[in-house]
Amino acid sequence: MALRSLWRLGLASTAMAGGVGGAVIVSSDDPATAIKLCTSVPLRLFRVSVAAASIAFDYEYSLMGLPEGSSERSKVKHEVHIRGARKLEELCFKNGGIYIKLGQHLGQLEYLVPQEYVEILRESMLNKCPVSSYEQVCEVVKSELGELPDKIFKDFDPVPIASASLAQVHVAHDHDGKKLAVKVQHIHMTDSAAADYATVELIVNTLHQFFPSFDYRWLIDEVRDSLPKELDFLVEAKNSVKCMDNFRKLSPSIADYVYAPRVYWNLSTSKLLTMEYIEGAQINDLKGIRGLGLRPVDVANLLSKTFAEMMFRHGFVHCDPHEANLIVRPHPSSKRGIFGKRKPQLILLDHGLYKELDVETRTNYAALWKALVFADANAIKENCVKLGAGEDLYPLFAGILTMRPWERVIDPAVDHLVMRGSEGDHSELQMYASQYFPEITELLRRLPRVILLMLKTNDCLRAVNNSLLQRSSLESFLIIGRVSSEAVIEAKLLQNKSFLRYISAWLEDLSLEARMFVMRIALWIFQLRRTLAF
């Protein structure tokens, strides 16, 4: 039945594609190019319906007759998951554009998709994106800056050092010898993105018609809002400047340890961004990090501090912190310590996707994380409800944020949120994802879009942290607990101006500081025991 519905979906979607293409052509600044691009819309829709039907048939046929819970079914399901992930990967690369960005996002959703999909999509979507030819790059550079690259730059490497869904990066030198990173948007990306958006909108709406429980229409609103900003590199440049200003003004204690490449405004436009080139190791390159004299645990702690400050204090958050967008280097002014180690500096790349949290949302989100770290069940419920999860789905919201079942979320043990990285942990997560899929879908529909982006950010940070330490970290949760707690106290003090209210707020949170002290002692003992065990 589901397979027949998918085929009907494909036929209906393809039949409607002409109208979508027409809308894109009318709205385009370059109708001739748009006409050419929009001929691909029916083909893209057809590829989607074929891939979906093929994956659905594989599950239905391969698992037929295998008893639920049997070892044979588990083995076959694992193989089908891998085949399904490969088909989805192929679809994303063939369609390109937004599809690759969606594939990147799916690769972070451990609470929603099987682990096989997470591993395959996370690896391929970040590191194997399509590359524009040098001729296409030259066309964009000339269109944006008026001359070919060899006229504007002293030298320009025709082979990109990185490629993503929307752009690729080339190394160049200016005429003064400064090394530059030049981010060039893929040619005709603005028009193809419009076609992609129209296609995704049609797919999601049609899927909802055939399968009412599949309601991801909120995704359309998010793409509509974020895509134009990501395609305007001047917005990205301004975001990087604002991010650094926030650290200097609001988080001076770590401002010197967080950096964004300098922008060369005279060589930047909406489709081309020229920045200083930063040498460093990608944040998941453990060998490279150690080779720079840095400790992965110090990098993980700095990452946690950086994004905790953004989320709970600044309210202006980099929402795409996956491994390809984060590099690390030794702090330029730091010297080697007694054990030969240096302090890290985190370099934030790709500032195209930011979200602003208003004061109320930021404070509620900080209060929620404070409650999660200290296993305060009443405060968890209160702040989950404030953020839109409702009286019925707040345990699920807490579970998605922490990747822990409710029983562990409210466990008073110091390390109650730490994942061991064992097979049992992953099996438990996949069981919950399968069992509560309709509830997860409903929760994602309810939550404000800005919170959905915080979930995406959370997923990315968890993946990076796990690649650095091969596990989740108690220290990271202590950092989150401290920064979120301080942000809540600051919010209270801003609301309560008088001296007596100041004292009241201080006394109210005095016990918090005591608990933080106890947790730090527990962490020290935990680390000492682990050291002695070796």
Side-chain angles (χ1 to χ4, degrees), residues 163-186:
S163 183
S165 56
L166 304 182
Q168 61 193 47
V169 179
H170 293 258
V171 174
H173 289 84
D174 67 11
H175 292 286
D176 294 327
K178 290 192 288 288
K179 194 172 185 180
L180 308 172
V182 184
K183 182 175 179 178
V184 183
Q185 196 171 109
H186 294 312

mmCIF file with all atom_site columns, all heavy atoms in Angstrom, residues 163-186:
data_model
loop_
_atom_site.group_PDB
_atom_site.id
_atom_site.type_symbol
_atom_site.label_atom_id
_atom_site.label_alt_id
_atom_site.label_comp_id
_atom_site.label_asym_id
_atom_site.label_entity_id
_atom_site.label_seq_id
_atom_site.pdbx_PDB_ins_code
_atom_site.Cartn_x
_atom_site.Cartn_y
_atom_site.Cartn_z
_atom_site.occupancy
_atom_site.B_iso_or_equiv
_atom_site.pdbx_formal_charge
_atom_site.auth_seq_id
_atom_site.auth_comp_id
_atom_site.auth_asym_id
_atom_site.auth_atom_id
_atom_site.pdbx_PDB_model_num
ATOM 1   N N   . SER A 1 163 ? 34.881 22.102 -0.937 1.00 0.00 ? 163 SER A N   1
ATOM 2   C CA  . SER A 1 163 ? 33.659 22.371 -1.689 1.00 0.00 ? 163 SER A CA  1
ATOM 3   C C   . SER A 1 163 ? 32.466 21.979 -0.840 1.00 0.00 ? 163 SER A C   1
ATOM 4   O O   . SER A 1 163 ? 32.483 20.937 -0.173 1.00 0.00 ? 163 SER A O   1
ATOM 5   C CB  . SER A 1 163 ? 33.649 21.590 -3.005 1.00 0.00 ? 163 SER A CB  1
ATOM 6   O OG  . SER A 1 163 ? 32.489 21.901 -3.752 1.00 0.00 ? 163 SER A OG  1
ATOM 7   N N   . ALA A 1 164 ? 31.451 22.830 -0.844 1.00 0.00 ? 164 ALA A N   1
ATOM 8   C CA  . ALA A 1 164 ? 30.236 22.582 -0.081 1.00 0.00 ? 164 ALA A CA  1
ATOM 9   C C   . ALA A 1 164 ? 29.036 22.644 -1.020 1.00 0.00 ? 164 ALA A C   1
ATOM 10  O O   . ALA A 1 164 ? 29.182 22.744 -2.238 1.00 0.00 ? 164 ALA A O   1
ATOM 11  C CB  . ALA A 1 164 ? 30.107 23.600 1.049  1.00 0.00 ? 164 ALA A CB  1
ATOM 12  N N   . SER A 1 165 ? 27.851 22.594 -0.449 1.00 0.00 ? 165 SER A N   1
ATOM 13  C CA  . SER A 1 165 ? 26.643 22.527 -1.271 1.00 0.00 ? 165 SER A CA  1
ATOM 14  C C   . SER A 1 165 ? 26.411 23.803 -2.068 1.00 0.00 ? 165 SER A C   1
ATOM 15  O O   . SER A 1 165 ? 25.872 23.751 -3.173 1.00 0.00 ? 165 SER A O   1
ATOM 16  C CB  . SER A 1 165 ? 25.436 22.244 -0.376 1.00 0.00 ? 165 SER A CB  1
ATOM 17  O OG  . SER A 1 165 ? 25.337 23.209 0.652  1.00 0.00 ? 165 SER A OG  1
ATOM 18  N N   . LEU A 1 166 ? 26.818 24.965 -1.528 1.00 0.00 ? 166 LEU A N   1
ATOM 19  C CA  . LEU A 1 166 ? 26.529 26.240 -2.174 1.00 0.00 ? 166 LEU A CA  1
ATOM 20  C C   . LEU A 1 166 ? 27.749 26.901 -2.796 1.00 0.00 ? 166 LEU A C   1
ATOM 21  O O   . LEU A 1 166 ? 27.591 27.774 -3.663 1.00 0.00 ? 166 LEU A O   1
ATOM 22  C CB  . LEU A 1 166 ? 25.901 27.218 -1.168 1.00 0.00 ? 166 LEU A CB  1
ATOM 23  C CG  . LEU A 1 166 ? 24.632 26.754 -0.439 1.00 0.00 ? 166 LEU A CG  1
ATOM 24  C CD1 . LEU A 1 166 ? 24.125 27.854 0.485  1.00 0.00 ? 166 LEU A CD1 1
ATOM 25  C CD2 . LEU A 1 166 ? 23.550 26.336 -1.422 1.00 0.00 ? 166 LEU A CD2 1
ATOM 26  N N   . ALA A 1 167 ? 28.946 26.527 -2.376 1.00 0.00 ? 167 ALA A N   1
ATOM 27  C CA  . ALA A 1 167 ? 30.146 27.235 -2.834 1.00 0.00 ? 167 ALA A CA  1
ATOM 28  C C   . ALA A 1 167 ? 31.372 26.356 -2.657 1.00 0.00 ? 167 ALA A C   1
ATOM 29  O O   . ALA A 1 167 ? 31.294 25.259 -2.075 1.00 0.00 ? 167 ALA A O   1
ATOM 30  C CB  . ALA A 1 167 ? 30.315 28.545 -2.057 1.00 0.00 ? 167 ALA A CB  1
ATOM 31  N N   . GLN A 1 168 ? 32.503 26.852 -3.170 1.00 0.00 ? 168 GLN A N   1
ATOM 32  C CA  . GLN A 1 168 ? 33.783 26.188 -2.951 1.00 0.00 ? 168 GLN A CA  1
ATOM 33  C C   . GLN A 1 168 ? 34.848 27.238 -2.659 1.00 0.00 ? 168 GLN A C   1
ATOM 34  O O   . GLN A 1 168 ? 34.669 28.418 -2.952 1.00 0.00 ? 168 GLN A O   1
ATOM 35  C CB  . GLN A 1 168 ? 34.168 25.334 -4.151 1.00 0.00 ? 168 GLN A CB  1
ATOM 36  C CG  . GLN A 1 168 ? 34.336 26.086 -5.450 1.00 0.00 ? 168 GLN A CG  1
ATOM 37  C CD  . GLN A 1 168 ? 34.398 25.129 -6.645 1.00 0.00 ? 168 GLN A CD  1
ATOM 38  O OE1 . GLN A 1 168 ? 33.595 24.217 -6.772 1.00 0.00 ? 168 GLN A OE1 1
ATOM 39  N NE2 . GLN A 1 168 ? 35.389 25.344 -7.509 1.00 0.00 ? 168 GLN A NE2 1
ATOM 40  N N   . VAL A 1 169 ? 35.953 26.796 -2.054 1.00 0.00 ? 169 VAL A N   1
ATOM 41  C CA  . VAL A 1 169 ? 36.982 27.726 -1.577 1.00 0.00 ? 169 VAL A CA  1
ATOM 42  C C   . VAL A 1 169 ? 38.292 27.469 -2.315 1.00 0.00 ? 169 VAL A C   1
ATOM 43  O O   . VAL A 1 169 ? 38.738 26.322 -2.425 1.00 0.00 ? 169 VAL A O   1
ATOM 44  C CB  . VAL A 1 169 ? 37.185 27.577 -0.052 1.00 0.00 ? 169 VAL A CB  1
ATOM 45  C CG1 . VAL A 1 169 ? 38.282 28.526 0.429  1.00 0.00 ? 169 VAL A CG1 1
ATOM 46  C CG2 . VAL A 1 169 ? 35.885 27.849 0.692  1.00 0.00 ? 169 VAL A CG2 1
ATOM 47  N N   . HIS A 1 170 ? 38.899 28.556 -2.803 1.00 0.00 ? 170 HIS A N   1
ATOM 48  C CA  . HIS A 1 170 ? 40.196 28.503 -3.491 1.00 0.00 ? 170 HIS A CA  1
ATOM 49  C C   . HIS A 1 170 ? 41.222 29.314 -2.709 1.00 0.00 ? 170 HIS A C   1
ATOM 50  O O   . HIS A 1 170 ? 40.885 30.329 -2.090 1.00 0.00 ? 170 HIS A O   1
ATOM 51  C CB  . HIS A 1 170 ? 40.074 29.085 -4.895 1.00 0.00 ? 170 HIS A CB  1
ATOM 52  C CG  . HIS A 1 170 ? 39.218 28.272 -5.817 1.00 0.00 ? 170 HIS A CG  1
ATOM 53  N ND1 . HIS A 1 170 ? 39.728 27.433 -6.772 1.00 0.00 ? 170 HIS A ND1 1
ATOM 54  C CD2 . HIS A 1 170 ? 37.852 28.172 -5.917 1.00 0.00 ? 170 HIS A CD2 1
ATOM 55  C CE1 . HIS A 1 170 ? 38.746 26.852 -7.436 1.00 0.00 ? 170 HIS A CE1 1
ATOM 56  N NE2 . HIS A 1 170 ? 37.590 27.288 -6.926 1.00 0.00 ? 170 HIS A NE2 1
ATOM 57  N N   . VAL A 1 171 ? 42.467 28.878 -2.779 1.00 0.00 ? 171 VAL A N   1
ATOM 58  C CA  . VAL A 1 171 ? 43.567 29.623 -2.166 1.00 0.00 ? 171 VAL A CA  1
ATOM 59  C C   . VAL A 1 171 ? 44.123 30.604 -3.194 1.00 0.00 ? 171 VAL A C   1
ATOM 60  O O   . VAL A 1 171 ? 44.286 30.267 -4.373 1.00 0.00 ? 171 VAL A O   1
ATOM 61  C CB  . VAL A 1 171 ? 44.680 28.671 -1.694 1.00 0.00 ? 171 VAL A CB  1
ATOM 62  C CG1 . VAL A 1 171 ? 45.887 29.469 -1.180 1.00 0.00 ? 171 VAL A CG1 1
ATOM 63  C CG2 . VAL A 1 171 ? 44.163 27.748 -0.604 1.00 0.00 ? 171 VAL A CG2 1
ATOM 64  N N   . ALA A 1 172 ? 44.393 31.828 -2.739 1.00 0.00 ? 172 ALA A N   1
ATOM 65  C CA  . ALA A 1 172 ? 44.960 32.854 -3.616 1.00 0.00 ? 172 ALA A CA  1
ATOM 66  C C   . ALA A 1 172 ? 45.929 33.709 -2.810 1.00 0.00 ? 172 ALA A C   1
ATOM 67  O O   . ALA A 1 172 ? 46.008 33.600 -1.578 1.00 0.00 ? 172 ALA A O   1
ATOM 68  C CB  . ALA A 1 172 ? 43.851 33.723 -4.213 1.00 0.00 ? 172 ALA A CB  1
ATOM 69  N N   . HIS A 1 173 ? 46.677 34.538 -3.507 1.00 0.00 ? 173 HIS A N   1
ATOM 70  C CA  . HIS A 1 173 ? 47.535 35.549 -2.866 1.00 0.00 ? 173 HIS A CA  1
ATOM 71  C C   . HIS A 1 173 ? 47.229 36.895 -3.507 1.00 0.00 ? 173 HIS A C   1
ATOM 72  O O   . HIS A 1 173 ? 47.031 36.975 -4.730 1.00 0.00 ? 173 HIS A O   1
ATOM 73  C CB  . HIS A 1 173 ? 49.017 35.237 -3.039 1.00 0.00 ? 173 HIS A CB  1
ATOM 74  C CG  . HIS A 1 173 ? 49.493 34.066 -2.232 1.00 0.00 ? 173 HIS A CG  1
ATOM 75  N ND1 . HIS A 1 173 ? 49.363 32.761 -2.663 1.00 0.00 ? 173 HIS A ND1 1
ATOM 76  C CD2 . HIS A 1 173 ? 50.079 34.003 -0.995 1.00 0.00 ? 173 HIS A CD2 1
ATOM 77  C CE1 . HIS A 1 173 ? 49.863 31.944 -1.750 1.00 0.00 ? 173 HIS A CE1 1
ATOM 78  N NE2 . HIS A 1 173 ? 50.302 32.669 -0.732 1.00 0.00 ? 173 HIS A NE2 1
ATOM 79  N N   . ASP A 1 174 ? 47.173 37.938 -2.676 1.00 0.00 ? 174 ASP A N   1
ATOM 80  C CA  . ASP A 1 174 ? 46.987 39.267 -3.263 1.00 0.00 ? 174 ASP A CA  1
ATOM 81  C C   . ASP A 1 174 ? 48.353 39.798 -3.719 1.00 0.00 ? 174 ASP A C   1
ATOM 82  O O   . ASP A 1 174 ? 49.389 39.144 -3.562 1.00 0.00 ? 174 ASP A O   1
ATOM 83  C CB  . ASP A 1 174 ? 46.278 40.214 -2.301 1.00 0.00 ? 174 ASP A CB  1
ATOM 84  C CG  . ASP A 1 174 ? 47.101 40.573 -1.069 1.00 0.00 ? 174 ASP A CG  1
ATOM 85  O OD1 . ASP A 1 174 ? 48.314 40.261 -1.038 1.00 0.00 ? 174 ASP A OD1 1
ATOM 86  O OD2 . ASP A 1 174 ? 46.540 41.172 -0.132 1.00 0.00 ? 174 ASP A OD2 1
ATOM 87  N N   . HIS A 1 175 ? 48.363 40.992 -4.267 1.00 0.00 ? 175 HIS A N   1
ATOM 88  C CA  . HIS A 1 175 ? 49.614 41.532 -4.838 1.00 0.00 ? 175 HIS A CA  1
ATOM 89  C C   . HIS A 1 175 ? 50.600 41.976 -3.769 1.00 0.00 ? 175 HIS A C   1
ATOM 90  O O   . HIS A 1 175 ? 51.751 42.290 -4.081 1.00 0.00 ? 175 HIS A O   1
ATOM 91  C CB  . HIS A 1 175 ? 49.280 42.671 -5.800 1.00 0.00 ? 175 HIS A CB  1
ATOM 92  C CG  . HIS A 1 175 ? 48.563 42.200 -7.035 1.00 0.00 ? 175 HIS A CG  1
ATOM 93  N ND1 . HIS A 1 175 ? 49.192 41.529 -8.049 1.00 0.00 ? 175 HIS A ND1 1
ATOM 94  C CD2 . HIS A 1 175 ? 47.235 42.284 -7.392 1.00 0.00 ? 175 HIS A CD2 1
ATOM 95  C CE1 . HIS A 1 175 ? 48.304 41.214 -8.998 1.00 0.00 ? 175 HIS A CE1 1
ATOM 96  N NE2 . HIS A 1 175 ? 47.113 41.662 -8.620 1.00 0.00 ? 175 HIS A NE2 1
ATOM 97  N N   . ASP A 1 176 ? 50.168 41.982 -2.505 1.00 0.00 ? 176 ASP A N   1
ATOM 98  C CA  . ASP A 1 176 ? 51.099 42.244 -1.400 1.00 0.00 ? 176 ASP A CA  1
ATOM 99  C C   . ASP A 1 176 ? 51.643 40.946 -0.802 1.00 0.00 ? 176 ASP A C   1
ATOM 100 O O   . ASP A 1 176 ? 52.408 40.981 0.159  1.00 0.00 ? 176 ASP A O   1
ATOM 101 C CB  . ASP A 1 176 ? 50.393 43.044 -0.295 1.00 0.00 ? 176 ASP A CB  1
ATOM 102 C CG  . ASP A 1 176 ? 50.019 44.447 -0.756 1.00 0.00 ? 176 ASP A CG  1
ATOM 103 O OD1 . ASP A 1 176 ? 50.769 45.018 -1.574 1.00 0.00 ? 176 ASP A OD1 1
ATOM 104 O OD2 . ASP A 1 176 ? 48.964 44.950 -0.315 1.00 0.00 ? 176 ASP A OD2 1
ATOM 105 N N   . GLY A 1 177 ? 51.209 39.818 -1.354 1.00 0.00 ? 177 GLY A N   1
ATOM 106 C CA  . GLY A 1 177 ? 51.706 38.523 -0.891 1.00 0.00 ? 177 GLY A CA  1
ATOM 107 C C   . GLY A 1 177 ? 50.882 37.869 0.202  1.00 0.00 ? 177 GLY A C   1
ATOM 108 O O   . GLY A 1 177 ? 51.228 36.779 0.665  1.00 0.00 ? 177 GLY A O   1
ATOM 109 N N   . LYS A 1 178 ? 49.801 38.505 0.638  1.00 0.00 ? 178 LYS A N   1
ATOM 110 C CA  . LYS A 1 178 ? 48.966 37.911 1.700  1.00 0.00 ? 178 LYS A CA  1
ATOM 111 C C   . LYS A 1 178 ? 48.197 36.715 1.155  1.00 0.00 ? 178 LYS A C   1
ATOM 112 O O   . LYS A 1 178 ? 47.625 36.769 0.062  1.00 0.00 ? 178 LYS A O   1
ATOM 113 C CB  . LYS A 1 178 ? 48.001 38.944 2.278  1.00 0.00 ? 178 LYS A CB  1
ATOM 114 C CG  . LYS A 1 178 ? 48.667 40.023 3.099  1.00 0.00 ? 178 LYS A CG  1
ATOM 115 C CD  . LYS A 1 178 ? 47.655 40.844 3.889  1.00 0.00 ? 178 LYS A CD  1
ATOM 116 C CE  . LYS A 1 178 ? 46.850 41.745 2.981  1.00 0.00 ? 178 LYS A CE  1
ATOM 117 N NZ  . LYS A 1 178 ? 47.639 42.887 2.459  1.00 0.00 ? 178 LYS A NZ  1
ATOM 118 N N   . LYS A 1 179 ? 48.184 35.639 1.950  1.00 0.00 ? 179 LYS A N   1
ATOM 119 C CA  . LYS A 1 179 ? 47.483 34.420 1.552  1.00 0.00 ? 179 LYS A CA  1
ATOM 120 C C   . LYS A 1 179 ? 45.993 34.576 1.865  1.00 0.00 ? 179 LYS A C   1
ATOM 121 O O   . LYS A 1 179 ? 45.620 34.973 2.969  1.00 0.00 ? 179 LYS A O   1
ATOM 122 C CB  . LYS A 1 179 ? 48.060 33.214 2.296  1.00 0.00 ? 179 LYS A CB  1
ATOM 123 C CG  . LYS A 1 179 ? 47.630 31.869 1.718  1.00 0.00 ? 179 LYS A CG  1
ATOM 124 C CD  . LYS A 1 179 ? 48.385 30.730 2.387  1.00 0.00 ? 179 LYS A CD  1
ATOM 125 C CE  . LYS A 1 179 ? 48.068 29.389 1.745  1.00 0.00 ? 179 LYS A CE  1
ATOM 126 N NZ  . LYS A 1 179 ? 48.799 28.266 2.390  1.00 0.00 ? 179 LYS A NZ  1
ATOM 127 N N   . LEU A 1 180 ? 45.155 34.250 0.882  1.00 0.00 ? 180 LEU A N   1
ATOM 128 C CA  . LEU A 1 180 ? 43.717 34.468 0.993  1.00 0.00 ? 180 LEU A CA  1
ATOM 129 C C   . LEU A 1 180 ? 42.945 33.175 0.753  1.00 0.00 ? 180 LEU A C   1
ATOM 130 O O   . LEU A 1 180 ? 43.423 32.263 0.070  1.00 0.00 ? 180 LEU A O   1
ATOM 131 C CB  . LEU A 1 180 ? 43.260 35.514 -0.027 1.00 0.00 ? 180 LEU A CB  1
ATOM 132 C CG  . LEU A 1 180 ? 44.005 36.843 -0.065 1.00 0.00 ? 180 LEU A CG  1
ATOM 133 C CD1 . LEU A 1 180 ? 43.541 37.669 -1.258 1.00 0.00 ? 180 LEU A CD1 1
ATOM 134 C CD2 . LEU A 1 180 ? 43.803 37.607 1.240  1.00 0.00 ? 180 LEU A CD2 1
ATOM 135 N N   . ALA A 1 181 ? 41.744 33.136 1.321  1.00 0.00 ? 181 ALA A N   1
ATOM 136 C CA  . ALA A 1 181 ? 40.772 32.077 1.027  1.00 0.00 ? 181 ALA A CA  1
ATOM 137 C C   . ALA A 1 181 ? 39.615 32.752 0.294  1.00 0.00 ? 181 ALA A C   1
ATOM 138 O O   . ALA A 1 181 ? 38.980 33.657 0.841  1.00 0.00 ? 181 ALA A O   1
ATOM 139 C CB  . ALA A 1 181 ? 40.292 31.409 2.302  1.00 0.00 ? 181 ALA A CB  1
ATOM 140 N N   . VAL A 1 182 ? 39.353 32.318 -0.947 1.00 0.00 ? 182 VAL A N   1
ATOM 141 C CA  . VAL A 1 182 ? 38.314 32.941 -1.772 1.00 0.00 ? 182 VAL A CA  1
ATOM 142 C C   . VAL A 1 182 ? 37.155 31.957 -1.933 1.00 0.00 ? 182 VAL A C   1
ATOM 143 O O   . VAL A 1 182 ? 37.312 30.891 -2.535 1.00 0.00 ? 182 VAL A O   1
ATOM 144 C CB  . VAL A 1 182 ? 38.863 33.350 -3.150 1.00 0.00 ? 182 VAL A CB  1
ATOM 145 C CG1 . VAL A 1 182 ? 37.784 34.089 -3.947 1.00 0.00 ? 182 VAL A CG1 1
ATOM 146 C CG2 . VAL A 1 182 ? 40.106 34.217 -2.996 1.00 0.00 ? 182 VAL A CG2 1
ATOM 147 N N   . LYS A 1 183 ? 36.023 32.330 -1.367 1.00 0.00 ? 183 LYS A N   1
ATOM 148 C CA  . LYS A 1 183 ? 34.827 31.487 -1.428 1.00 0.00 ? 183 LYS A CA  1
ATOM 149 C C   . LYS A 1 183 ? 33.977 31.927 -2.608 1.00 0.00 ? 183 LYS A C   1
ATOM 150 O O   . LYS A 1 183 ? 33.517 33.070 -2.668 1.00 0.00 ? 183 LYS A O   1
ATOM 151 C CB  . LYS A 1 183 ? 34.044 31.614 -0.112 1.00 0.00 ? 183 LYS A CB  1
ATOM 152 C CG  . LYS A 1 183 ? 32.806 30.744 -0.027 1.00 0.00 ? 183 LYS A CG  1
ATOM 153 C CD  . LYS A 1 183 ? 32.175 30.860 1.354  1.00 0.00 ? 183 LYS A CD  1
ATOM 154 C CE  . LYS A 1 183 ? 30.915 30.008 1.473  1.00 0.00 ? 183 LYS A CE  1
ATOM 155 N NZ  . LYS A 1 183 ? 30.334 30.091 2.842  1.00 0.00 ? 183 LYS A NZ  1
ATOM 156 N N   . VAL A 1 184 ? 33.783 31.020 -3.567 1.00 0.00 ? 184 VAL A N   1
ATOM 157 C CA  . VAL A 1 184 ? 33.089 31.336 -4.814 1.00 0.00 ? 184 VAL A CA  1
ATOM 158 C C   . VAL A 1 184 ? 31.802 30.514 -4.891 1.00 0.00 ? 184 VAL A C   1
ATOM 159 O O   . VAL A 1 184 ? 31.840 29.283 -4.804 1.00 0.00 ? 184 VAL A O   1
ATOM 160 C CB  . VAL A 1 184 ? 33.973 31.034 -6.037 1.00 0.00 ? 184 VAL A CB  1
ATOM 161 C CG1 . VAL A 1 184 ? 33.261 31.445 -7.325 1.00 0.00 ? 184 VAL A CG1 1
ATOM 162 C CG2 . VAL A 1 184 ? 35.324 31.734 -5.918 1.00 0.00 ? 184 VAL A CG2 1
ATOM 163 N N   . GLN A 1 185 ? 30.693 31.208 -5.054 1.00 0.00 ? 185 GLN A N   1
ATOM 164 C CA  . GLN A 1 185 ? 29.404 30.510 -5.142 1.00 0.00 ? 185 GLN A CA  1
ATOM 165 C C   . GLN A 1 185 ? 29.340 29.706 -6.439 1.00 0.00 ? 185 GLN A C   1
ATOM 166 O O   . GLN A 1 185 ? 29.824 30.145 -7.485 1.00 0.00 ? 185 GLN A O   1
ATOM 167 C CB  . GLN A 1 185 ? 28.272 31.538 -5.105 1.00 0.00 ? 185 GLN A CB  1
ATOM 168 C CG  . GLN A 1 185 ? 26.905 30.958 -4.816 1.00 0.00 ? 185 GLN A CG  1
ATOM 169 C CD  . GLN A 1 185 ? 25.870 32.053 -4.573 1.00 0.00 ? 185 GLN A CD  1
ATOM 170 O OE1 . GLN A 1 185 ? 24.989 32.272 -5.399 1.00 0.00 ? 185 GLN A OE1 1
ATOM 171 N NE2 . GLN A 1 185 ? 25.998 32.742 -3.437 1.00 0.00 ? 185 GLN A NE2 1
ATOM 172 N N   . HIS A 1 186 ? 28.735 28.495 -6.354 1.00 0.00 ? 186 HIS A N   1
ATOM 173 C CA  . HIS A 1 186 ? 28.549 27.699 -7.566 1.00 0.00 ? 186 HIS A CA  1
ATOM 174 C C   . HIS A 1 186 ? 27.707 28.485 -8.566 1.00 0.00 ? 186 HIS A C   1
ATOM 175 O O   . HIS A 1 186 ? 26.749 29.175 -8.190 1.00 0.00 ? 186 HIS A O   1
ATOM 176 C CB  . HIS A 1 186 ? 27.860 26.372 -7.235 1.00 0.00 ? 186 HIS A CB  1
ATOM 177 C CG  . HIS A 1 186 ? 28.695 25.463 -6.373 1.00 0.00 ? 186 HIS A CG  1
ATOM 178 N ND1 . HIS A 1 186 ? 30.009 25.182 -6.650 1.00 0.00 ? 186 HIS A ND1 1
ATOM 179 C CD2 . HIS A 1 186 ? 28.387 24.764 -5.247 1.00 0.00 ? 186 HIS A CD2 1
ATOM 180 C CE1 . HIS A 1 186 ? 30.485 24.345 -5.722 1.00 0.00 ? 186 HIS A CE1 1
ATOM 181 N NE2 . HIS A 1 186 ? 29.520 24.091 -4.867 1.00 0.00 ? 186 HIS A NE2 1
#
